[in-house]
RNA sequence: GAGGGUGUAGCUCAGUUAGGCAGAGCAACGGAUUUUUAAUCCGUAGGUCGAGGGUUCGAUCCCCUCCGCCCUCACCA
């Protein structure tokens, strides 16, 4: 049965409205006041005639009068419908209203005898009749699956959820303003790419009919943003979606939003200052002192972020250097990490993630990664086995990396080739070398620092949500057949 | 991909100790109620107990298979 046909009683009320000559799906309802303003500026507005529009959240009919809570984007206010004020005909129409319906109402703003700020309704319009019941008013929607599948219901029935997504929007707005103030240009680069470059991740494949070509949804915008550096956009960034055809868990959604940013004539140390400042600024916008709870921890963003060296941290955590492969493999086995088929550096990195990263709660930069894991990064002058790259870890989560960008086209080409050699056949089907990117580098890319920040994870930290699905409006779920 | 948990009314959840007519609260429906605050009072209705199969006189309960979701792990630059 279609959900639209399932609520007979609601349809009966809808028909009753139509019989009374009322369009149950009304139109424009202008000149409303935000409900929060009614309560914030009550002293000024008391006694005035006000108009509001919103959804009926609670309806308490009492025979010849009723109290109805109307909620808009800003808050909720009580409306009082009275037979003697509205007359038989209008009151009959009012009797067809119920929770979930969207109405516009106009009347005098006063307090009731019990002190509740209330609109004594003189006129009202039915703006949208809800044919389905809203969830129970006290518990709301609890079932996580239903909440994600029916986010629209989750949003109107939970202030907390609405607040979380409002914060998400503000965080992104604040990042944009921060970067605009520093001369960064926001751009959009292709989501559909014929070469899925910029990260070693499995892409989604799609097909363009008119051109008859397979395309990949991008796994990263990196190679396009660097082309823009070549083009002369010296400070450039993109906040947009990436798509990775990999597992789903509390920190991963197949599509996720990242900030990727490039600054010409800088390097990864500039990115460190920038990243730390952006994140601290955001934290201070949602807290008084830069300290925010996250799960069982409190993260302090006001203090300078810690910096640790990749190889030193490895040795400290494990008691032997990362170069001692026999011991590294023993340790991997001990931790029951499957490293079969992995090269040396990746084996080390798996152990590193488990023994170092997972334990890093306070914001920490892990500095100077193995060059073999960072093919787009400039090797360190002092030691070509190390790359000028850091990863920022907060609450055990990878928040983002930054590089001193490799701008030598020949070295870049060699690293691409090496990477291809290391791939198995299945991986290689997704991979080919982006020749045009190498051509762009050959035209000369300014030395630059590049930064990536996972926006979803940042929002998790700022809103104290430990599951990424809580900060993505419509996380990917298997389609249900209802 | 592996292991564990879970799925019962629109929503939130009990329950079937050990197989024997399917439960509550809220929401809904009918009635009363002109200042309520999760309104109250009286009454009514509401179910493929996730799906399919098996065992059984009888299955929501036991067994098998499948599906969704959650957790842990694995995968994931």
């Amino acid at each position: 049965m279609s959900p639209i046909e399932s609520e007979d009683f609601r349809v009966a009320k809808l028909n009753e409205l139509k019989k009374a000559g009322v369009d149950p799906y009304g139109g424009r309802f202008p000149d409303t006041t935000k409900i929060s303003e009614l309560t914030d500026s009550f002293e000024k507005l008391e006694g005035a005639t006000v108009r509001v529009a919103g959804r009926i959240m609670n309806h308490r009919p009492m025979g010849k009068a009723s109290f109805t809570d109307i909620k808009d984007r800003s808050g909720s206010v009580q409306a009082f419908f009275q037979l003697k004020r509205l007359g038989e005909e209008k009151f009959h129409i009012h009797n067809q209203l119920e929770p979930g319906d969207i109405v516009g109402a106009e009347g005098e703003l006063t307090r009731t005898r019990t002190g509740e700020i209330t609109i004594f309704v003189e006129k009202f319009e039915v703006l949208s009749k809800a044919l389905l019941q809203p969830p129970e008013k006290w518990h709301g929607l609890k079932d996580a699956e239903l909440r994600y599948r029916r986010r629209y219901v989750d949003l109107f029935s939970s202030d907390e959820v609405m607040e979380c997504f409002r914060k998400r929007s503000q965080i992104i707005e604040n990042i944009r303003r921060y970067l605009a103030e520093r001369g960064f240009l926001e751009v959009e680069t292709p989501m559909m790419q014929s070469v899925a470059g910029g990260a070693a991740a499995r892409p989604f494949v799609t097909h363009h009919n008119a051109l008859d070509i397979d395309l990949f949804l991008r796994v990263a915008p990196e190679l396009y943003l660097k082309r823009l550096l070549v083009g002369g956009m010296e400070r450039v960034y993109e906040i947009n979606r990436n798509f990775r055809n990999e597992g789903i868990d509390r920190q991963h959604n197949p599509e996720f939003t990242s900030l990727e940013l490039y600054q010409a004539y800088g390097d990864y140390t500039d990115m460190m200052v920038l990243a730390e400042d952006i994140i601290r600024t955001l934290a201070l916008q949602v807290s008084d002192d830069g300290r925010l709870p996250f799960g069982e921890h409190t993260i302090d963003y006001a203090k300078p972020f810690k910096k640790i060296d990749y190889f030193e941290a490895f040795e400290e955590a494990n008691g032997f250097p990362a170069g001692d492969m026999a011991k590294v493999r023993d340790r991997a086995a001990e931790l029951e990490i499957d490293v079969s088929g992995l090269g040396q550096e990746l084996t080390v990195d798996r152990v590193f993630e488990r023994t170092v990263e997972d334990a890093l709660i306070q914001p920490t930069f892990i500095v100077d990664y193995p060059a073999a894991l960072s093919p787009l990064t400039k090797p360190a002058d002092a030691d070509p086995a190390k790359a000028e790259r850091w990863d920022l870890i907060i609450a055990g989560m990878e928040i983002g990396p930054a590089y001193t960008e490799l701008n030598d086209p020949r070295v870049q080409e060699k690293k691409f080739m090496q990477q291809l050699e290391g791939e198995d056949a299945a991986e290689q089907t997704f991979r080919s070398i982006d020749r045009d990117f190498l051509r762009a580098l050959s035209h000369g890319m300014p030395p630059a620092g590049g930064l990536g920040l996972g926006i979803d994870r940042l929002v998790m930290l700022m809103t104290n949500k430990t599951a990424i699905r809580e900060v993505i409006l419509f996380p990917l779920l298997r389609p249900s057949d209802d």
Side-chain angles (χ1 to χ4, degrees):
Chain A
M1 192 197 296
S2 153
I4 292 169
E5 296 159 9
S6 64
E7 296 282 339
D8 294 342
F9 295 113
R10 290 194 170 239
V11 172
K13 289 192 168 165
L14 176 117
N15 289 335
E16 191 61 30
L17 287 173
K18 284 186 178 162
K19 230 168 73 187
V22 172
D23 178 1
Y25 298 99
R28 209 167 101 89
F29 193 79
D31 304 322
T32 55
T33 306
K34 238 169 57 173
I35 285 174
S36 60
E37 256 185 76
L38 302 184
T39 43
D40 292 348
S41 315
F42 179 74
E43 275 66 38
K44 265 184 274 174
L45 291 171
E46 185 168 15
T49 295
V50 296
R51 281 160 70 82
V52 299
R55 189 184 293 275
I56 294 178
M57 299 310 288
N58 193 354
H59 190 53
R60 301 181 290 281
M62 302 193 41
K64 291 176 181 153
S66 79
F67 292 93
T68 301
D69 298 331
I70 298 176
K71 177 167 142 181
D72 74 0
R73 66 190 184 282
S74 70
S76 140
V77 71
Q78 177 170 271
F80 184 48
F81 292 80
Q82 225 177 354
L83 172 60
K84 77 175 179 200
R85 225 172 255 265
L86 293 167
E88 287 284 351
E89 202 178 313
K90 275 288 202 182
F91 197 74
H92 176 69
I93 292 165
H94 143 272
N95 276 333
Q96 313 313 313
L97 296 177
E98 57 205 317
D101 294 349
I102 296 174
V103 296
E106 179 182 314
E108 189 190 345
L109 185 71
T110 53
R111 282 186 197 275
T112 58
R113 203 164 64 190
T114 53
E116 176 87 8
I117 293 175
T118 300
I119 298 171
F120 280 64
V121 177
E122 280 135 32
K123 296 181 197 162
F124 68 94
E125 286 179 31
V126 183
L127 301 179
S128 187
K129 183 74 191 152
L131 296 182
L132 290 175
Q133 280 189 52
E136 196 228 341
K137 59 188 168 190
W138 192 240
H139 294 94
L141 218 48
K142 271 270 182 55
D143 185 88
E145 180 186 355
L146 269 187
R147 289 182 44 234
Y148 303 145
R149 288 193 192 279
R150 306 188 192 161
R151 186 67 94 180
Y152 37 91
V153 176
D154 194 28
L155 282 165
F156 74 64
S157 56
S158 165
D159 290 341
E160 195 197 331
V161 169
M162 179 65 91
E163 184 54 26
C164 176
F165 286 104
R166 202 194 309 277
K167 266 191 191 162
R168 179 182 172 120
S169 174
Q170 280 163 0
I171 287 165
I172 293 171
E173 189 187 327
N174 288 337
I175 293 172
R176 286 203 163 101
R177 186 177 315 118
Y178 181 101
L179 294 174
E181 282 166 2
R182 285 158 183 78
F184 284 90
L185 196 65
E186 181 172 13
V187 297
E188 289 160 285
T189 61
M191 296 268 184
M192 295 193 288
Q193 307 176 343
S194 48
V195 178
R202 245 170 233 270
F204 289 91
V205 188
T206 186
H207 187 79
H208 186 272
N209 289 338
L211 295 179
D212 191 24
I213 50 168
D214 283 339
L215 289 167
F216 302 103
L217 300 189
R218 74 179 190 192
V219 295
E222 175 150 358
L223 302 187
Y224 283 92
L225 291 171
K226 284 180 172 175
R227 283 172 167 89
L228 299 179
L229 279 178
V230 171
M233 291 185 177
E234 295 177 347
R235 294 184 171 210
V236 68
Y237 77 96
E238 177 163 6
I239 294 177
N240 226 324
R241 223 71 64 80
N242 295 318
F243 307 86
R244 299 191 179 176
N245 206 340
E246 285 157 4
I248 297 176
D249 61 31
R250 30 186 28 223
Q251 291 175 22
H252 297 82
N253 192 60
E255 53 178 316
F256 62 99
T257 302
S258 69
L259 160 68
E260 202 158 296
L261 166 156
Y262 293 86
Q263 179 177 330
Y265 313 115
D267 70 4
Y268 76 143
T269 61
D270 298 294
M271 294 300 101
M272 197 180 282
V273 174
L274 186 69
E276 183 166 346
D277 192 48
I278 289 176
I279 292 170
R280 180 169 300 125
T281 302
L282 295 177
L284 287 169
Q285 276 157 348
V286 295
S287 71
D288 297 330
D289 57 358
R291 291 163 58 85
L292 287 169
F294 187 74
E296 56 189 5
H297 305 291
T298 298
I299 315 288
D300 191 341
Y301 298 93
K303 275 199 268 187
F305 294 5
K306 275 190 291 187
K307 298 168 183 65
I308 63 175
D309 178 273
Y310 184 96
F311 293 98
E312 284 173 17
F314 183 96
E315 189 164 350
E316 202 171 302
N318 292 290
F320 53 87
D324 190 339
M325 282 313 293
K327 283 190 175 169
V328 172
R329 289 189 200 287
D330 285 351
R331 186 86 172 109
E334 194 183 313
L335 296 167
E336 293 178 336
I337 304 170
D338 179 13
V339 293
S340 51
L342 295 181
Q344 286 199 7
E345 293 82 1
L346 273 176
T347 303
V348 169
D349 202 50
R350 290 288 142 78
V351 173
F352 181 87
E353 284 173 1
R354 275 285 274 287
T355 56
V356 182
E357 283 191 9
D358 290 355
L360 295 174
I361 303 305
Q362 296 304 320
T364 304
F365 292 106
I366 300 167
V367 184
D368 289 342
Y369 262 68
L373 300 178
S374 315
L376 296 160
T377 311
K378 192 169 189 171
D381 290 336
D383 180 356
K386 292 182 178 182
E388 292 198 354
R389 163 184 170 182
W390 53 254
D391 265 36
L392 175 61
I393 309 294
I394 304 176
M397 289 194 293
E398 293 177 24
I399 302 304
Y403 311 151
T404 299
E405 301 299 338
L406 177 56
N407 65 342
D408 179 333
R410 296 176 149 183
V411 175
Q412 184 67 81
E413 180 175 29
K414 204 163 20 162
K415 284 182 179 282
F416 278 165
M417 299 300 285
Q418 283 167 355
Q419 232 206 341
L420 274 187
E421 284 164 21
E423 307 272 350
D424 60 38
E427 291 289 314
Q428 275 196 18
T429 61
F430 299 119
R431 215 79 67 199
S432 53
I433 291 180
D434 188 337
R435 293 273 161 210
D436 183 67
F437 173 66
L438 292 173
R439 177 187 296 121
L441 288 190
S442 304
H443 277 286
M445 185 181 90
L451 167 68
L453 289 179
I455 297 293
D456 310 287
R457 290 181 183 173
L458 262 184
V459 174
M460 288 166 69
L461 291 168
M462 296 298 143
T463 56
N464 190 16
K465 302 285 186 227
T466 55
I468 198 165
R469 286 176 162 188
E470 292 296 328
V471 301
I472 291 175
L473 281 166
F474 299 101
L476 185 67
L477 300 174
R478 196 176 292 275
S480 72
D481 49 9
D482 76 339

